[in-house]
Amino acid sequence: MSTIARQPLRLAILISGRGSNMATIARDCLQKRIAATVNVVISDRPGVAGIATAQEMGIETHVIPWRTAAGRPEFEQAIGECIDDHDIDLVVLAGFMRVLSGPFVERYAGRMLNIHPSLLPKYTGLHTHRRVLEAGDTEHGASVHFVTPELDGGPIILQSRVPARPDDTESVLSARVQSTEHVIYPRVIGWIADGRLSWNRGRPLLDGKPLDVPVVEDFSDR
Ligand code: GRF
């Protein structure tokens, strides 16, 4: 079984854009609401808002551009070296828009999280808010999960559930879901930092019990 016991837990956050989840997690670390530190923020895209935000918060940043890498192995090698150079306990994907290879993901098994804007296993992939509205669903949400080689398919830890309303636009619904991401993502990282959430042969354990069904937090008032 692997419990990441070190406190503060050392985080690398991988982003590709705005970085609002990254900023929320970093703020919660700085304010000691979670027993962790953001030791490096890595972006595959230069010039994105999240890199400027991280720098303003005094966090070390690295841009490892996908476009200039000779291919995925070289790109992943650079990312892996950067993570390992910073002696990282937990890799946090937060709006990171590159699909990582099976071997790379296996290297960080039980030590890599992602947040996806849907109630997984529904709506893997892109444009989740649009697809929810087109399907006429009445609820939507976000999922924090361990990363496995299957895209958006790893064990789900915590989900937020929000209403999807018929008059919602994609951006209104997206903002509603994102406001809950900023609650559930730091919470899961805090569980790991506090030793409550661990990884046992491909399955999560919460408070010592197998987490076969994700925890769901209701945000029906949003
Ligand atoms: C979030 O909606 C997250 O669910 C998805 O990408 C978005 C990233 O937003 N994986 P931000 O960059 O954290 O603002």
Side-chain angles (χ1 to χ4, degrees):
M1 187 172 82
S2 83
T3 304
I4 312 173
R6 178 158 55 163
Q7 280 201 352
L9 196 71
R10 294 173 63 85
L11 310 179
I13 305 187
L14 274 56
I15 63 168
S16 298
R18 179 176 40 182
S20 70
N21 280 286
M22 176 279 299
T24 305
I25 293 162
R27 193 197 54 220
D28 283 358
C29 290
L30 288 169
Q31 295 179 351
K32 309 228 179 290
R33 279 201 283 263
I34 46 185
T37 51
V38 181
N39 293 83
V40 64
V41 169
I42 303 171
S43 172
D44 65 310
R45 293 185 190 159
V48 294
I51 284 290
T53 304
Q55 287 171 347
E56 280 161 20
M57 297 179 88
I59 300 167
E60 185 176 329
T61 61
H62 288 268
V63 176
I64 300 179
W66 170 262
R67 288 185 195 290
T68 53
R72 191 158 74 170
E74 186 182 297
F75 173 73
E76 290 186 344
Q77 186 175 337
I79 299 250
E81 277 171 15
C82 187
I83 291 170
D84 296 344
D85 283 352
H86 289 82
D87 190 19
I88 292 303
D89 299 308
L90 184 69
V91 179
V92 177
L93 307 183
F96 184 67
M97 299 305 286
R98 294 285 157 203
V99 176
L100 296 164
S101 71
F104 185 87
V105 169
E106 293 292 358
R107 184 167 153 187
Y108 299 101
R111 297 195 297 130
M112 192 189 292
L113 298 177
N114 184 40
I115 189 157
H116 181 77
S118 80
L119 291 169
L120 290 171
K122 291 178 87 175
Y123 304 110
T124 60
L126 298 174
H127 308 302
T128 58
H129 312 299
R130 188 187 312 165
R131 288 156 63 204
V132 163
L133 292 173
E134 281 169 1
D137 289 3
T138 55
E139 61 177 29
H140 188 28
S143 305
V144 178
H145 64 94
F146 280 109
V147 178
T148 61
E150 187 192 344
L151 185 67
D152 301 328
I156 304 161
I157 304 154
L158 176 60
Q159 294 183 310
S160 58
R161 190 191 292 139
V162 300
R165 304 191 175 102
D167 56 349
D168 280 343
T169 60
E170 211 178 318
S171 66
V172 164
L173 183 56
S174 154
R176 188 178 303 131
V177 170
Q178 262 227 327
S179 71
T180 68
E181 294 181 1
H182 299 162
V183 177
I184 64 172
Y185 216 176
R187 182 160 301 155
V188 171
I189 294 166
W191 287 347
I192 294 178
D194 293 342
R196 293 182 56 192
L197 178 65
S198 58
W199 180 253
N200 185 20
R201 295 192 208 101
R203 291 172 78 194
L205 292 181
L206 183 62
D207 296 328
K209 298 192 191 92
L211 190 64
D212 295 327
V213 178
V215 181
V216 179
E217 192 165 335
D218 200 55
F219 292 88
S220 49
D221 54 337
R222 302 246 166 161

